[in-house]
């Protein structure tokens, strides 16, 4: 974890997020992925946007953000969400239908990153550009670009926040902690966790942190479907099994805000003192908790900027220009190749920098100010 990403982070929010992330060792080059450069996207073309189920607020916001940015850029939008109960087949069918309607670009936030090989192969056969958005699409060459926040860096920031919060709120340590990861069908979940473990593992090894349950492997700590009830149940079970006899729980690595609130619900129901809990997404339900000190941190990934980055890429391609991409970040390896990426910078938020960090977003800024 390089300190420079933490220092002065409040000041950089919107502007920094627009730049290519400096986090990877990424050489930036011009060039596209597999074969998109020959595709043409005239103004007025249909752009399909296939989003996963609304498992967190960022996905809810994404639909409108895409509609607005696509229409403003002079294209037509077809935005669809996967069904909650039937997410993989419904998303596959939605992508097929976008292609049948003649979409020149499909932007995909994968419901399950490893289940779209057939659909993106069809897209490429039809001459469409395939953009993986926020979540990578796995085990296929048929992805042209990946547009996302730097997910490994999200994990690094979460872990650094956990360490900072423990030091600030729980004295000198060693500290008892538990670890949570996201859903294993989302390619991001492992990358967030790897980023976090790059910071936490040395602290576990040197005894600063003790994972009392012993559960430190990704497969052991995942939260199926990113569902709050699954995280709440696992936290409750961890408490029963490891913290019932007065062992203190100091902190929990939570991969996002929805799960952070579920974890805090479980510790509260068990009557435990408030642990230091991390998060991600800057959800409106979490900001008051952060300002009150109940949830320690979140990450700001501005959904409008992320959608706009994808549409700016489409606009560039429609003009025949070559976008600048990060081509050698191994975290963007989808199992077939490293997908050329537009990477945005995530911003760590605690109550200390919230008002500043949310300056470009009136709703979030007001929540921070009102709950200060
Ligand atoms: C997104 C996170 C979100 C999670 C659950 C991930 O792919 O990057 O921002 O919290 O999905 O919806």
């Amino acid at each position: 974890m390089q300190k420079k990403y933490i220092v002065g982070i409040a000041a950089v929010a919107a502007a920094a997020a627009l730049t290519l992330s400096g986090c990877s060792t990424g050489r930036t080059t011009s060039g596209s992925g597999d074969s998109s450069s020959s595709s043409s996207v005239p103004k007025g073309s249909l752009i399909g946007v296939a989003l996963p189920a609304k498992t967190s607020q960022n996905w809810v916001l994404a639909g409108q953000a895409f509609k607005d940015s696509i229409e403003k850029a002079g294209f037509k939008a077809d935005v669809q969400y996967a069904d909650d109960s039937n997410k993989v087949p419904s998303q596959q069918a939605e992508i097929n239908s976008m292609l049948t309607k003649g979409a020149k670009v499909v932007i995909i936030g994968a419901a399950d990153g490893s289940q779209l090989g057939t659909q993106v192969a069809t897209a490429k056969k039809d001459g469409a550009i395939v953009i993986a958005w926020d979540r990578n699409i796995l085990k296929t060459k048929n992805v042209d670009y990946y547009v996302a926040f730097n997910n490994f860096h999200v994990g690094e920031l979460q872990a650094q926040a956990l360490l900072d919060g423990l030091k600030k709120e729980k004295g000198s340590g060693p500290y008892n902690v538990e670890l949570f990861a996201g859903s294993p069908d989302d390619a991001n979940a492992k990358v967030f966790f790897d980023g976090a473990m790059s910071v936490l593992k040395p602290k576990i090894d040197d005894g600063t942190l003790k994972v009392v349950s012993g559960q430190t492997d990704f497969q052991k700590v995942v939260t199926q479907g990113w569902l709050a009830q699954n995280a709440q149940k696992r936290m409750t079970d961890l408490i029963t099994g490891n913290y019932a006899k007065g062992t203190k729980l100091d902190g929990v690595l939570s991969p996002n805000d929805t799960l952070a609130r579920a974890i805090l619900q479980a510790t509260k129901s068990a009557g435990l003192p408030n642990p230091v809990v991390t998060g991600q997404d800057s959800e409106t339900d979490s900001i008051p908790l952060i300002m009150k000190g109940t949830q320690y941190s979140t990450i700001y990934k501005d959904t409008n900027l992320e959608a706009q980055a994808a549409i700016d890429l489409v606009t560039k391609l429609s003009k025949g220009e070559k976008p600048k991409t990060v081509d050698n970040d191994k975290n963007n390896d989808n199992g077939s190749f490293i997908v050329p990426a537009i990477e945005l910078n995530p911003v760590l938020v605690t109550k200390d920098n919230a008002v500043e960090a949310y300056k470009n977003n009136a709703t979030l800024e007001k929540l921070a100010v009102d709950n200060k």
Side-chain angles (χ1 to χ4, degrees):
M1 170 75 231
Q2 300 98 321
K3 204 75 184 163
K4 63 181 170 174
Y5 294 117
I6 306 281
V7 176
I9 220 137
V12 297
L18 271 170
T19 65
L20 283 173
S21 161
C23 183
S24 80
T25 49
R27 169 182 61 100
T28 61
T29 63
S30 309
S32 70
D34 198 23
S35 56
S36 70
S37 33
S38 58
S39 304
S40 72
V41 192
K43 281 282 153 90
S45 298
L46 183 67
I47 299 183
V49 182
L51 297 170
K54 297 173 181 174
T55 43
S56 49
Q57 200 173 32
N58 58 313
W59 298 112
V60 180
L61 296 171
Q64 196 59 46
F66 270 116
K67 275 187 194 131
D68 294 346
S69 55
I70 289 173
E71 276 154 27
K72 217 163 133 212
F75 302 104
K76 282 204 295 274
D78 180 8
V79 178
Q80 307 281 342
Y81 282 94
D83 293 348
D84 266 332
S85 54
N86 191 25
K87 56 184 192 167
V88 172
S90 65
Q91 184 167 64
Q92 291 170 334
E94 283 161 6
I95 295 168
N96 285 337
S97 118
M98 289 166 187
L99 294 168
T100 308
K101 286 185 227 161
K104 296 275 185 246
V105 180
V106 281
I107 298 172
I108 302 171
D112 180 333
S114 59
Q115 307 259 12
L116 293 172
T118 310
Q119 289 67 39
V120 295
T122 308
K124 294 312 300 171
K125 227 172 19 221
D126 291 358
I129 293 169
V130 176
I131 300 174
W133 190 78
D134 195 79
R135 298 175 171 177
N136 214 340
I137 299 171
L138 303 178
K139 297 192 184 90
T140 171
K141 287 257 184 217
N142 294 313
V143 185
D144 295 297
Y145 299 98
Y146 178 39
V147 176
F149 283 86
N150 185 312
N151 297 312
F152 191 85
H153 190 40
V154 167
E156 291 177 314
L157 290 174
Q158 290 171 329
Q160 192 57 51
L162 180 63
L163 295 176
D164 293 348
L166 288 168
K167 202 162 162 199
K168 223 160 141 183
E169 296 186 359
K170 302 288 177 181
S172 59
Y175 309 105
N176 292 338
V177 299
E178 295 297 336
L179 311 175
F180 281 70
S183 190
D185 53 9
D186 170 3
N188 285 354
K190 178 77 164 56
V191 183
F192 295 147
F193 190 69
D194 286 349
M197 286 309 266
S198 72
V199 176
L200 298 181
K201 173 109 186 357
K203 300 293 178 187
I204 295 171
D205 292 346
D206 74 12
T208 307
L209 300 179
K210 181 170 183 208
V211 182
V212 176
S213 68
Q215 297 180 11
T216 56
D217 288 345
F218 177 69
Q219 287 305 336
K220 282 252 157 65
V221 304
V222 294
T223 309
Q224 286 295 338
W226 287 99
L227 290 176
Q229 66 260 36
N230 293 341
Q232 188 168 342
K233 171 155 194 329
R234 178 163 174 260
M235 190 67 244
T236 303
D237 292 347
L238 287 171
I239 294 169
T240 311
N242 303 279
Y243 298 92
K245 294 186 190 122
T247 304
K248 66 187 176 71
L249 171 66
D250 297 308
V252 182
L253 175 78
S254 166
N256 80 359
D257 288 349
T258 302
L259 304 191
R261 293 192 303 276
I263 289 161
L264 284 163
Q265 190 57 52
T267 57
K268 191 175 171 198
S269 303
L272 298 186
N274 200 106
V276 172
V277 179
T278 61
Q280 169 174 206
D281 294 335
S282 294
E283 292 196 341
T284 48
D285 284 348
S286 275
I287 292 168
L289 299 178
I290 289 167
M291 300 315 285
K292 277 188 236 129
T294 312
Q295 182 181 327
Y296 182 72
S297 65
T298 185
I299 302 282
Y300 186 31
K301 303 191 304 183
D302 184 332
T303 304
N304 291 320
L305 278 181
E306 197 182 3
Q308 192 61 51
I311 302 314
D312 289 347
L313 169 62
V314 172
T315 300
K316 266 214 164 83
L317 296 170
S318 81
K319 291 185 189 154
E321 292 170 17
K322 289 212 163 194
K324 271 202 169 145
T325 53
V326 175
D327 293 347
N328 62 350
D329 181 346
K330 63 177 174 17
N331 295 303
N332 300 329
D333 190 337
N334 76 348
S336 288
F337 76 121
I338 295 177
V339 183
I342 309 285
E343 285 183 356
L344 309 176
N345 251 333
V347 175
L348 174 65
V349 181
T350 66
K351 67 172 170 226
D352 295 336
N353 71 340
V355 175
E356 177 69 27
Y358 297 141
K359 267 213 151 17
N360 74 337
N361 183 317
T363 310
L364 301 185
E365 186 188 19
K366 182 166 185 327
L367 269 174
V369 169
D370 290 352
N371 289 283
K372 215 172 167 179

